[in-house]
Amino acid sequence: MGQELRGEQRAATLSLLMAGLEYTDPETGRPPGSRELLRLTGFLTGGGDLVSGQRIGLVFDLLRANDTLWKPLTRGWFQGDRPAPFDIVAWSEDGIAVTRPLFEESMRLMGDNLFARGEVSLGGWPLRLADIRVDTFVVAGARDHIVPWESVHLGARSLGGKASFHLVPSGHVGAVINPPRPKATRLGRGGRLPEDPARWLAGAQARPESWWTAWTRWLARRSGPRTAARGCGSRRHPAREPAPGVYVHGRAGNTGSRGILPWSRV
C-alpha cells in the first residue's frame, strides 16, 4: 500500500459492483452505528468462533426489514400470494461462514463509516477514498436492500478519479447477474457526479443495454491488446474437475433464516 501512495500505480482501473464505501443511510442521513449493529449481530449469532452465512443473511434482512421481511410476510401469510421459484433467491441462500473477528470488524467499518471518514489504516498507511485516482466503473442496484444505490453513489463521488456510475433496476444480486438480453436496461449520464444522488437520477437517461456491454467498451478503451485465455489451475495447484465443480450437486441443510423466522428472503 505504501508503494502505491508513493506514486507506484499497479492498477490501471477500478470496477465496483454494489460496493459499500460510504455507509450514510439515505433515509436518516447518518451511518447505522456500530454499537447497535454489534448488539444485533451478537444476539443473532451467539458466541461461536464462526458466523454462519445464513445468519449473516438474516442480519442484512433485518437492516431492510420492511422490504425483505414484512412485505413478503404480508403477501404470503395474509394475502396468500406465494412467490414463484426464482434462481437468484435460491442462490442468495447459499451463504458462507466467516470468522467472528472479520465479521465484527466489517460491522464496525460500516456502522461508524470509518472508511469514508479516512479513519482506517493498513500497515501504518492511511486509507482514503480520495487517494484512489484511477478511472472507476461503478454499478448500483435500484432495488438493492443491502447497499442502497444512493450510498454507492456517495462512495463513488468520494473517489479521487473519474467515476462512471450506472444504475440497474434490480436488487443486490440481480443487478450483477445482468447479461446482454433484449430487456436489459440501465441508467447513466455523463459528466462529474453531482453531490445529491437525486440530482444524478433526475438527469440520468435510460440505456437499452446491459451494464456488461457498457463495461466491455469502458475496459477496452483502458486496456492493452487481447491475449489468449489461460487454462485453469497450475502445476502446483491443478484443477480438480471441470466447472462448476461437484459441490453444486450437494443438497442444502435445513438451516438458515427459514429455520429461524417463518419467512424467506426475496
Side-chain angles (χ1 to χ4, degrees), residues 32-42 107-108 111-112:
S34 65
R35 180 179 300 178
E36 291 77 8
L37 282 177
L38 290 172
R39 186 181 303 167
L40 171 63
T41 56
M107 291 298 100
R108 290 190 181 94
D112 295 332

Side-chain angles (χ1 to χ4, degrees), residues 49-56 94-100 102-103:
D49 295 330
L50 291 176
V51 182
S52 72
Q54 289 80 12
R55 290 183 179 270
I56 293 174
D94 187 16
I96 184 172
V98 300
T99 61
R100 176 169 300 281
L102 172 61
F103 183 68

Side-chain angles (χ1 to χ4, degrees), residues 4-33:
E4 281 84 353
L5 290 175
R6 287 194 294 267
E8 180 179 337
Q9 295 185 347
R10 300 186 184 183
T13 64
L14 176 65
S15 297
L16 300 174
L17 309 180
M18 323 302 141
L21 302 177
E22 159 68 73
Y23 291 101
T24 299
D25 190 298
E27 296 182 358
T28 65
R30 61 179 185 273

Side-chain angles (χ1 to χ4, degrees), residues 168-170 173-181 184-185 209-213:
V168 183
S170 300
V173 178
V176 178
I177 309 302
N178 195 269
R181 64 192 190 281
T185 185
E209 65 175 2
S210 165
W211 69 262
W212 292 16
T213 305

Side-chain angles (χ1 to χ4, degrees), residues 22-220:
E22 159 68 73
Y23 291 101
T24 299
D25 190 298
E27 296 182 358
T28 65
R30 61 179 185 273
S34 65
R35 180 179 300 178
E36 291 77 8
L37 282 177
L38 290 172
R39 186 181 303 167
L40 171 63
T41 56
F43 173 74
L44 291 173
T45 59
D49 295 330
L50 291 176
V51 182
S52 72
Q54 289 80 12
R55 290 183 179 270
I56 293 174
L58 177 58
V59 171
F60 286 124
D61 281 349
L62 293 176
L63 290 177
R64 307 287 177 221
N66 188 48
D67 293 326
T68 60
L69 298 177
W70 302 121
K71 286 183 179 179
L73 175 64
T74 302
R75 291 196 303 263
W77 277 27
F78 300 151
Q79 300 177 2
D81 182 16
R82 296 293 182 180
F86 191 32
D87 53 357
I88 290 181
V89 175
W91 186 19
S92 68
E93 295 291 339
D94 187 16
I96 184 172
V98 300
T99 61
R100 176 169 300 281
L102 172 61
F103 183 68
E104 291 181 347
E105 283 301 310
S106 299
M107 291 298 100
R108 290 190 181 94
L109 286 173
M110 180 178 70
D112 295 332
N113 212 15
L114 299 180
F115 196 18
R117 288 161 50 185
E119 298 182 10
V120 179
S121 62
L122 180 64
W125 291 89
L127 304 180
R128 299 187 180 92
L129 296 179
D131 291 336
I132 302 176
R133 299 186 179 91
V134 297
D135 290 349
T136 308
F137 190 94
V138 185
V139 181
R143 297 194 296 271
D144 190 344
H145 70 281
I146 297 176
V147 187
W149 77 267
E150 295 92 342
S151 297
V152 179
H153 175 279
L154 292 175
R157 192 178 181 279
S158 300
L159 298 172
K162 182 180 179 181
S164 178
F165 187 79
H166 306 266
L167 184 61
V168 183
S170 300
H172 189 73
V173 178
V176 178
I177 309 302
N178 195 269
R181 64 192 190 281
K183 294 184 178 180
T185 185
R186 63 180 177 86
L187 292 177
R189 59 175 289 181
R192 181 175 175 80
L193 292 177
E195 181 176 357
D196 186 0
R199 182 181 171 190
W200 180 92
L201 183 61
Q205 296 181 346
R207 315 286 189 184
E209 65 175 2
S210 165
W211 69 262
W212 292 16
T213 305
W215 189 41
T216 300
R217 293 195 304 267
W218 186 88
L219 285 175

